[in-house]
Amino acid sequence: MKSLYSKQFLNFIRIIAIIFCVFMIKHIYTAIYDVINYKSYTHILTLIAVSVIPVFMAIIIIHPERFALFVPPLLIFAIPVLLSSHSSRYPILEIEISIMILLLRGFFYKHKLIKIISICVICLALFLSKIRFGWANFILQIFDTAQILMLTTILFFLFFEYLKPHYTKNQVLNIADFPETTSRDAKWLCLVQQGIKYEAIAIDYELNVGTVQNRLNKVYHIIETGDRIGFLSMYSNAKIIFQPSR
């Protein structure tokens, strides 16, 4: 099954998080070295910012389905570089990857228009800050950014086409196709799809909240959606049924 929450993808995300963490440790060491030996106190803010990144990576390694936690570290690197450097290549790429991650995690599921406009305004403001480096450099950055956006858009399009079966409307999710599932699981997923809280489900079925949460977490992994957010981002418009094959 093609899913961002399959075991193969989650292991891949873990590997990326470990590699990312190694790079961050190197940056932390460099920042400490500069502060101690060169009295470069401007690196203190960088040190503070970079030091929290391994915490994000540790959470991703343990819970790879929460890969949206890649976004804060990417922005911590992208925004300062975009504001201070003549070049915008890497920051633009990091911001674009962040937006793609948020899209995959269902960030734009609610209040889509407001969020898209806000992100566009922020990105435009950051990019226009390049004007202070001169118009010649600014025009060059426009062409570089256009090339990066064109290439990455093609890659992202192909990636989304690969995952398209999970993100099309009018899809049907038959819970019975997955092992160890029951008709009650299908009913609970329908309730989650409607925005019903675990507490309300527990009251209706006269169960503990922990029992409902633990069962649904298991079901999320069985159907390869990782967690509740992953389930809603992939199957928010799906018709959920339980029809065992004969």
Side-chain angles (χ1 to χ4, degrees):
M1 179 176 294
K2 296 181 287 186
S3 170
L4 276 176
Y5 301 93
S6 64
K7 291 181 179 180
Q8 293 84 355
F9 271 100
L10 293 180
N11 287 332
F12 173 74
I13 290 171
R14 283 193 178 98
I15 292 172
I16 296 299
I18 292 171
I19 295 173
F20 206 121
C21 196
V22 171
F23 282 123
M24 292 310 99
I25 292 173
K26 186 264 182 186
H27 279 288
I28 292 172
Y29 171 79
T30 301
I32 294 174
Y33 183 85
D34 290 339
V35 170
I36 294 176
N37 293 281
Y38 300 108
K39 307 301 180 183
S40 180
Y41 298 112
T42 57
H43 285 79
I44 292 179
L45 291 177
T46 302
L47 177 61
I48 294 173
V50 173
S51 295
V52 302
I53 294 178
V55 177
F56 288 104
M57 296 304 103
I59 296 174
I60 294 174
I61 292 170
I62 299 172
H63 302 288
E65 64 274 7
R66 300 178 185 177
F67 57 85
L69 292 176
F70 275 120
V71 173
L74 287 170
L75 296 181
I76 286 174
F77 277 99
I79 293 177
V81 174
L82 194 60
L83 290 173
S84 61
S85 174
H86 288 70
S87 176
S88 60
R89 295 176 182 176
Y90 290 112
I92 289 295
L93 182 58
E94 290 165 344
I95 290 174
E96 190 176 10
I97 292 174
S98 298
I99 293 173
M100 185 192 75
I101 291 173
L102 292 175
L103 178 63
L104 290 172
R105 282 294 280 172
F107 176 75
F108 299 100
Y109 177 63
K110 295 182 179 179
H111 311 296
K112 181 186 298 184
L113 184 60
I114 295 175
K115 291 177 179 178
I116 291 176
I117 293 175
S118 300
I119 290 175
C120 289
V121 169
I122 293 172
C123 290
L124 182 61
L126 290 171
F127 190 73
L128 289 176
S129 67
K130 296 291 181 183
I131 295 177
R132 72 183 188 277
F133 294 115
W135 284 101
N137 177 75
F138 181 69
I139 293 173
L140 179 62
Q141 295 306 311
I142 291 177
F143 283 104
D144 283 348
T145 301
Q147 289 178 333
I148 292 172
L149 292 177
M150 181 184 67
L151 293 174
T152 52
T153 299
I154 293 173
L155 291 174
F156 293 159
F157 172 78
L158 295 174
F159 182 69
F160 277 106
E161 281 295 308
Y162 173 77
L163 295 173
K164 193 173 183 179
H166 283 296
Y167 294 93
T168 54
K169 293 183 179 180
N170 303 320
Q171 62 190 136
V172 176
L173 175 62
N174 186 5
I175 301 301
D177 290 340
F178 299 89
E180 302 179 14
T181 57
T182 66
S183 59
R184 190 179 70 173
D185 295 330
K187 293 177 182 178
W188 285 7
L189 290 176
C190 288
L191 293 174
V192 172
Q193 195 181 50
Q194 297 167 21
I196 306 299
K197 303 296 184 182
Y198 293 163
E199 290 81 359
I201 297 175
I203 292 173
D204 288 343
Y205 284 82
E206 298 181 352
L207 297 170
N208 294 325
V209 177
T211 301
V212 174
Q213 184 173 356
N214 290 336
R215 178 58 191 174
L216 282 172
N217 285 338
K218 184 176 181 179
V219 173
Y220 294 144
H221 283 86
I222 291 174
I223 65 176
E224 294 189 346
T225 62
D227 56 9
R228 179 177 175 275
I229 295 175
F231 166 72
L232 291 175
S233 66
M234 293 174 64
Y235 294 112
S236 59
N237 297 311
K239 179 181 179 181
I240 300 175
I241 61 175
F242 185 86
Q243 293 183 355
S245 57
R246 296 180 180 178

